[in-house]
């Protein structure tokens, strides 16, 4: 956790993010900046589908893709759309603590039992489903994953500013990550 930098003032925002949509995101969410008005998205936010998180941002400010672990590998076309058609020039990746996609393998039996009990699946089909998809969505460590995903997206979209951020679900604040 020594890679995390608290954002309590504008001066805490890394210089490369100041006066960018990423800096504005940090100001809106953490610093309670008054909302500006937007007619089109300024950035894409990739974040986890986790229900414990919410964003404090103005209307029309961002495209938001929510997926397990904030993993955008299987949302590549949506990312490309936000860039090509939406015109966004920045991506904020939000990893968070206590993510359910970390150590996914420890949840195998509960996952299978949940599909059998809650969805009416047969056990064999639920096991196959888990085995086919769990390897794609297991993220390991949250901070390491968001850093590796940022590096991957920077290679894929070299003209786009990609910012790895961390969302602490206890204080509902975004943190910068030292790379």
């Amino acid at each position: 956790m020594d890679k995390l930098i608290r954002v309590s003032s504008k001066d805490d925002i890394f210089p490369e993010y100041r006066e960018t949509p990423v800096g504005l995101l940090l100001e809106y969410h953490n610093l309670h900046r008054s909302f500006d008005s937007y007619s089109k998205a300024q950035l894409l936010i990739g974040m986890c589908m986790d229900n414990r998180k919410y964003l404090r941002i103005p209307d029309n400010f961002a495209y938001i893709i929510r997926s397990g672990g904030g993993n955008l590998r299987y949302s590549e076309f949506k990312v490309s759309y936000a860039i090509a058609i939406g015109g966004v020039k920045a991506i904020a990746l939000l990893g968070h603590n206590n993510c359910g996609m970390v150590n996914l393998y420890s949840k195998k039996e509960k996952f299978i039992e949940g599909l059998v009990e809650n969805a009416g699946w047969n056990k064999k089909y639920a096991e196959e489903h888990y085995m086919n998809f769990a390897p794609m969505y297991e993220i390991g460590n949250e901070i390491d994953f968001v850093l590796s995903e940022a590096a991957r997206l920077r290679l894929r979209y070299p003209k786009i500013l990609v910012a790895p951020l961390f969302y602490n679900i206890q204080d509902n604040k975004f943190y910068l990550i030292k790379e």
Side-chain angles (χ1 to χ4, degrees):
M1 294 297 229
D2 60 332
K3 290 184 173 189
L4 299 181
I5 307 297
R6 183 176 194 79
V7 177
S8 300
S9 74
K10 282 179 78 168
D11 291 337
D12 295 331
I13 299 171
F14 292 163
E16 61 267 31
Y17 301 147
R18 291 181 195 150
E19 308 304 321
T20 73
V22 174
L24 287 171
L25 172 66
L26 292 164
E27 289 182 45
Y28 288 133
H29 189 84
N30 280 26
L31 307 179
H32 298 279
R33 175 186 171 131
S34 296
F35 287 169
D36 296 309
S37 182
Y38 296 94
S39 60
K40 69 181 211 85
Q42 304 300 297
L43 81 157
L44 168 69
I45 299 170
M47 64 188 293
C48 191
M49 61 188 232
D50 192 291
N51 64 307
R52 297 171 289 177
K53 300 186 322 299
Y54 68 90
L55 302 176
R56 185 186 179 284
I57 58 173
D59 291 341
N60 304 315
F61 178 67
Y63 288 99
I64 301 170
I65 299 175
R66 285 182 166 244
S67 64
N71 184 343
L72 296 182
R73 287 178 286 200
Y74 306 103
S75 298
E76 194 88 12
F77 188 81
K78 297 171 197 173
V79 173
S80 296
Y81 182 91
I83 293 167
I85 304 298
V88 301
K89 303 280 189 227
I91 299 172
L93 294 174
L94 291 171
H96 72 93
N97 54 324
N98 303 319
C99 183
M101 294 297 121
V102 171
N103 199 12
L104 194 53
Y105 294 106
S106 71
K107 301 169 183 85
K108 179 181 177 184
E109 292 309 314
K110 184 175 183 177
F111 183 96
I112 293 166
E113 290 170 14
L115 285 176
V116 170
E117 291 175 23
N118 300 330
W121 290 22
N122 74 50
K123 187 172 181 173
K124 183 178 185 316
Y125 186 66
E127 287 172 346
E128 288 173 3
H129 182 69
Y130 177 88
M131 294 308 292
N132 285 331
F133 289 99
M136 293 170 29
Y137 292 99
E138 165 71 44
I139 66 165
N141 174 283
E142 298 99 338
I143 293 173
D144 291 342
F145 177 78
V146 77
L147 289 172
S148 68
E149 185 67 350
R152 184 187 73 79
L153 289 168
R154 287 174 181 146
L155 290 173
R156 184 86 167 131
Y157 304 102
K159 289 185 173 182
I160 303 300
L161 174 66
V162 180
L165 304 173
F166 187 81
Y167 187 113
N168 184 326
I169 60 171
Q170 277 77 32
D171 66 8
N172 188 43
K173 299 291 183 190
F174 299 161
Y175 290 74
L176 295 162
I177 303 175
K178 275 193 281 187
E179 297 187 64

